[in-house]
Amino acid sequence: MNTLYSFRRCPYAMRARMALRYSGVAVDIVEVSLKAKPAEMLALSGKGTVPVLNAGGRVIDESLDIMRWALAQNDPQDWLLKDDPDAAAHITPLIEQNDQVFKVHLNRYKYAERYPEQPMEVYRSEGEVFLRRLDQLLEGRDYLLADHPSLADVALMPFVRQFAHVDREWFGQTPYLRLQAWLQRLLASDLFTSIMKK
C-alpha cells in the first residue's frame, strides 16, 4: 500500500496530492502536524519535511519526484505533454524558476517581518517578475504550456495561490488578468477542491 505523509496547507504537499489524485493511484493520506511529526514518517525520511510518499517500500520525499512518480503510473490527460515535445521542454525550467527563485521572493514577501532589510513591497515586486512571465505565457490559451493543464500548471499553482493570498486586494487589482483567471480556474477545479477536503 502507498502512504503519503502530508500537511494540507503546504504548497509542496498540495501539488503532490493533486498529482496522486489525478493519476488515480490508491494512497492512504496521513495528515501531519508539523509540531508533532509522526515517528514513522521521520523513520522513512530524516529530512522531516512533507510530503513523504512510501510507495510500496520505495521512499520519495521530494514533491516533484512524487508528482513524476504518479504520472509514470498514469497520465490520462498528458500532463507531461508527450504529444508536444517543444512545450514539454519548458516544463522543468519553469518549475525550477518557481522552486528556486520565485519561492524565495514569496517567502520574503509573506514573512516580510523576518526580513527587515527591505520593505515588503520590494519583495513583492521581485516576485512580480515571475507573475508577469506567467501572465505572458497565458496569452491565447488557458494554461501555461498547452490548451490543457500540464505538470507545470499544477506544480506552480499552489505557490502562485500563496503569493496572491498575502494581499488578495492587491492581487485582484494587478494587470495580470490572464493569470488571475488561470488561478481561479485551477482553484475551482474538482481536482483541487477534492484534495482540500478534510
Side-chain angles (χ1 to χ4, degrees), residues 127-142:
E128 254 188 285
V129 174
F130 191 55
L131 299 187
R132 258 195 303 277
R133 181 177 174 209
L134 298 182
D135 194 69
Q136 286 161 0
L137 284 173
L138 291 162
E139 188 170 352
R141 62 182 172 220
D142 286 347

Side-chain angles (χ1 to χ4, degrees), residues 93-107:
L94 202 53
I95 295 173
E96 283 175 354
Q97 191 179 359
N98 177 81
D99 290 12
Q100 294 165 23
V101 181
F102 179 66
K103 179 70 168 74
V104 174
H105 301 316
L106 165 59
N107 281 353

Side-chain angles (χ1 to χ4, degrees), residues 68-116:
R68 290 193 180 280
W69 178 85
L71 298 185
Q73 316 305 308
N74 187 29
D75 183 9
Q77 293 161 20
D78 192 28
W79 278 14
L80 293 174
L81 303 182
K82 286 180 177 162
D83 294 341
D84 186 350
D86 291 339
H90 293 285
I91 292 175
T92 298
L94 202 53
I95 295 173
E96 283 175 354
Q97 191 179 359
N98 177 81
D99 290 12
Q100 294 165 23
V101 181
F102 179 66
K103 179 70 168 74
V104 174
H105 301 316
L106 165 59
N107 281 353
R108 291 181 176 165
Y109 171 45
K110 187 175 182 186
Y111 305 109
E113 69 283 354
R114 297 181 197 169
Y115 302 96

Side-chain angles (χ1 to χ4, degrees), residues 1 28 44 52 54 66 77 105 108 117-118 122 138 147 162-163 188 192:
M1 187 59 199
D28 277 337
L44 289 172
V52 177
N54 183 351
I66 293 171
Q77 293 161 20
H105 301 316
R108 291 181 176 165
E117 304 80 26
Q118 300 279 358
V122 171
L138 291 162
D147 57 4
Q162 207 171 54
F163 197 96
F192 183 72

Side-chain angles (χ1 to χ4, degrees), residues 10-192:
C10 167
Y12 293 105
M14 273 179 202
R15 69 187 189 181
R17 288 202 317 274
M18 287 174 79
L20 288 163
R21 173 62 67 104
Y22 158 78
S23 69
V25 175
V27 62
D28 277 337
I29 296 179
V30 177
E31 189 70 19
V32 170
S33 161
L34 299 183
K35 293 187 177 125
K37 294 167 187 168
E40 63 269 25
M41 180 187 107
L42 296 173
L44 289 172
S45 169
K47 282 169 52 179
T49 56
V50 291
V52 177
L53 177 67
N54 183 351
R58 178 184 167 198
V59 176
I60 311 174
D61 62 5
E62 290 288 339
S63 62
L64 196 54
D65 293 340
I66 293 171
M67 295 182 84
R68 290 193 180 280
W69 178 85
L71 298 185
Q73 316 305 308
N74 187 29
D75 183 9
Q77 293 161 20
D78 192 28
W79 278 14
L80 293 174
L81 303 182
K82 286 180 177 162
D83 294 341
D84 186 350
D86 291 339
H90 293 285
I91 292 175
T92 298
L94 202 53
I95 295 173
E96 283 175 354
Q97 191 179 359
N98 177 81
D99 290 12
Q100 294 165 23
V101 181
F102 179 66
K103 179 70 168 74
V104 174
H105 301 316
L106 165 59
N107 281 353
R108 291 181 176 165
Y109 171 45
K110 187 175 182 186
Y111 305 109
E113 69 283 354
R114 297 181 197 169
Y115 302 96
E117 304 80 26
Q118 300 279 358
M120 178 187 192
E121 290 75 16
V122 171
Y123 301 129
R124 184 167 70 196
S125 64
E126 287 171 343
E128 254 188 285
V129 174
F130 191 55
L131 299 187
R132 258 195 303 277
R133 181 177 174 209
L134 298 182
D135 194 69
Q136 286 161 0
L137 284 173
L138 291 162
E139 188 170 352
R141 62 182 172 220
D142 286 347
Y143 297 95
L144 295 171
L145 300 173
D147 57 4
H148 62 85
S150 74
L151 176 61
D153 295 278
V154 180
L156 270 56
M157 184 276 280
F159 299 92
V160 175
R161 170 186 179 267
Q162 207 171 54
F163 197 96
H165 285 188
V166 175
D167 184 343
R168 293 178 201 221
E169 193 176 336
W170 171 84
F171 184 73
Q173 292 172 352
T174 65
Y176 315 126
L177 302 182
R178 293 182 293 249
L179 186 64
Q180 292 169 13
W182 168 87
L183 181 60
Q184 199 46 51
R185 195 175 300 119
L186 289 166
L187 291 177
S189 69
D190 290 343
L191 185 62
F192 183 72

